[in-house]
Amino acid sequence: MHPLLTEIDHVAIAVNDLEAAIAWYEEVFGATVEHREIVESDGVAEALLRVADSYIQLLTPTRKDSPVAKYLEKKGEGLHHVGYRVADCAVALEAVKASGGRVIDDAPRPGSRGTIVAFVHPKTSFGTLIELVEDPN
Ligand code: CO
């Protein structure tokens, strides 16, 4: 079987203060923000800082009832999920389902920056929330 995961697309970190987190990465590591977006359906504001061919994705909630707000309340700041790049999100999602795995998104859906994404439940993936990311751009 050829590998379905082709790259680490991003490592997502949940933070309380997005501007402070961006400033820290800029000032300490000289990182630059390549993209910012508010994803209203997920209730998050995100900033993507490029690291080689991958990104650090800083996430903060835009409303109190968003999943990231609940995550911060329960677990505090820190690693939220890992985004793996895939050639075809539907194929990778089907592989998870075919193995009996639990998914959060039953079908691929729009992600930020024009991507197509689906989340895999951490109970299936050994405690880590996984996002499958297809980037058609
Ligand atoms: Co993500």
Side-chain angles (χ1 to χ4, degrees), residues 9-105:
D9 186 81
H10 60 274
V11 172
I13 300 167
V15 301
N16 289 319
D17 184 338
L18 186 59
E19 302 312 319
I22 290 169
W24 188 80
Y25 274 91
E26 285 177 340
E27 284 160 23
V28 176
F29 297 122
T32 52
V33 173
E34 192 165 297
H35 182 79
R36 291 187 73 146
E37 189 166 333
I38 291 172
V39 185
E40 218 28 86
S41 52
D42 289 338
V44 298
E46 68 172 54
L48 287 166
L49 299 97
R50 183 173 277 284
V51 180
D53 288 329
S54 304
Y55 299 98
I56 299 288
Q57 180 185 66
L58 301 172
L59 286 177
T60 205
T62 56
R63 53 173 196 263
K64 290 214 181 312
D65 65 342
S66 82
V68 173
K70 286 173 188 158
Y71 181 93
L72 282 167
E73 207 173 289
K74 210 169 130 193
K75 301 194 169 170
E77 293 182 302
L79 186 60
H80 184 263
H81 65 271
V82 176
Y84 293 124
R85 210 171 297 154
V86 295
D88 186 326
C89 188
V91 167
L93 185 64
E94 205 41 56
V96 175
K97 289 201 235 173
S99 74
R102 189 167 150 195
V103 296
I104 291 171
D105 296 303

